Amino acid sequence: MSALRFIAAATLFIATPLYAQDKTVRVDSIFNFATAQTPGCAAGVSDHGKPIVNKYYGLANLDTRTPLNASSLFDIGSTQKQFTATSMLLLAQDGKVSLSDDIRKYLPELPDYGHKVTIDNLLTHTGGIRDWTGLLPFAPEGTDVATLLQRQRGLNFVPGTEWSYSNGGYELAKTIVARASGMSFADFTRKRIFEPLGMKSTAYVSDILQAGTNASLGYQKDGSGWKPFMRLGNNRGGGAIVSTISDMLTWQDALASAKLGKFVTDKLHEQTRLSNGRQLDYARGVIVEHTPGGVVVSHSGGAAGFSTWMGRVPEYGLSVAVSCNFDPVSATALAGRVADVFLPPVDSQALARARANAPVAASGVDVSSRAGLFFDERTGEPMRLGVNNGRLQVANGPPLVPVSATTFRITRPTTFFRSQDDFVMTFVDDDHIEFKSMEGQVTRFRRAKPYTPSESELQSVDGRYESKELGAVYELVPGKNSLAMRMEGAPEKSIELAPVDRDTYMFRMMIVRFRRDASGKVAGFVYDNPLAKGIAFTRLGNRTNSGGATAKVPVAKDSVTPKPSAASAAAPKLEALVGEYELAPGRSIVITLENGQLQGQPTNNSKAPLFYISGTTFGIGRADSPAKVTFTLDDEGRGAMMTMKQNGQERVLMRVK
């Protein structure tokens, strides 16, 4: 019989047990995609606290050809949330905080949201705090996450009524830990968690490049090769926890044996309840999932090119950790396959019960006509239905099972979609849907009708709009039958919005709804995306270049490097920028000036010309390149450091020569 496992976020794994084989060989076969020329993964397994697998596949650093090994550090992404939650629980145990405290007791700079948000709301993702990952891409370059979160005036929902994953909430939690403890979050986790448990390599750092010589680098597939792909600087949010596979197993086994005390362990694993009484799989920084194969306690994490899963199956004393340093890959799926090697087959009765509880699909139901865009009749929130492999599916949600010609259910509720609601979705008619929650609450959606705005409607929204919450000004530029929404001064930050209803435009699941005053004039708009709702923009007036045509942004020609002008005080002397700037320990970028042209050459890479844009900013390879460097000058006008922005990442390089 096949062994069937549910591991982590309702992921299904099927494998045939071949217990006669050496299990290490079977683990090796799972990672045979990693070679001595590619990034790879590390995998660890412990049995009742005894390490039985520590394996490493591929390279930690492609430039130095350093292989992944027992000392390799990974950016473990959101698996760090269990350390944040544990830190807060230790402070609660010490009597320095209460989980029911209003977060503004410790963060008085936050606005009054109109609702109390508690510390426990942050730890359980029930506070409605907007996720910074849905905000930062729309804020000016250099905006730090802490400042961005302080600017937010609203919540995604009333605290306690829903569940929505919020990196923003956990960033606030880290700040509370620091203020309540009187030490930095890095020092607190080191002194209260990592050192007492013997996790000698684990640390909280600003980003992976600050982790020292054992840091593995993250990569992304780029054609037949690889390119660096990491969250750095401001794009890393409040910082990263780096760890080794061995330390991750130590942590899992410490939780299993309650080494930090019963209160901390019990509260960390206590499953969340919404205000309506619904129990969720998410606890505090970990997911506690009841599966046919037993309870699985876990969390996954992703940070650009890094992917991590760590968890355990308490019934069998088995802990597993997998980290990879390339994208795309699912450490969750790989960890499930590793666990399958060491777990016995699922009990047939448990498997039968799981199948009996799953909805049975009605035969012969044609779903092709059901697809389309719908709006919540009360809130206007969009929902898009599509057809995938013959099944109806909600965008960013699970596939739906037809239990009749008009009624649909999901195979298994998940915390990450509609707060783990075991709902019933019914088509009242072709254009109207009702969602009935497991508690009986009904939400109605209406189908969006095809809409083509008139030229005058498009022209009426042409203008400049400011969001104080984002600290940004955007231009709305009419097109033939669409709107371009672009950040003022950064035209590369532009998205094309398609009309979906009167005064309503969308790009994927981002939506803009214009507000008009009593006279019918556009006064502003509200921007929503799945991670941040209700961002208000106020109209400032006309664009500098109005009239409906897209404003042209002058750029230098690639073949010419403009000479610094005496009239431009910000234009630097090119020879003053020449030097060596440290990229990482043992790696640098050398800036040279050759025939009036700046060149940049990273260690072990070819030169690339730098083309002048404005001030002290240059495009890498061409003037209109999205990859840029900006020099910071010292008092004598010489380059002191260089900020490089590339592939959505930002890093600061200090001049060393």
Side-chain angles (χ1 to χ4, degrees), residues 564-578:
S565 166
S568 175
K573 294 182 179 180
L574 299 184
E575 59 270 20
L577 306 180
V578 172

Side-chain angles (χ1 to χ4, degrees), residues 535-618:
I535 310 296
F537 282 77
T538 301
R539 183 169 185 155
L540 298 178
N542 296 330
R543 292 184 296 119
T544 303
N545 179 22
S546 60
T550 300
K552 300 295 183 183
V553 180
V555 295
K557 300 297 184 183
D558 285 3
S559 58
V560 178
T561 303
K563 301 290 184 183
S565 166
S568 175
K573 294 182 179 180
L574 299 184
E575 59 270 20
L577 306 180
V578 172
E580 184 175 345
Y581 298 78
E582 186 177 44
L583 182 63
R587 301 179 65 212
S588 62
I589 294 180
V590 176
I591 304 297
T592 57
L593 181 61
E594 302 174 16
N595 299 319
Q597 172 74 65
L598 281 182
Q599 303 278 347
Q601 183 172 16
T603 302
N604 299 324
N605 282 275
S606 57
K607 294 179 182 178
L610 303 182
F611 290 95
Y612 180 80
I613 299 175
S614 65
T616 58
T617 298
F618 295 76

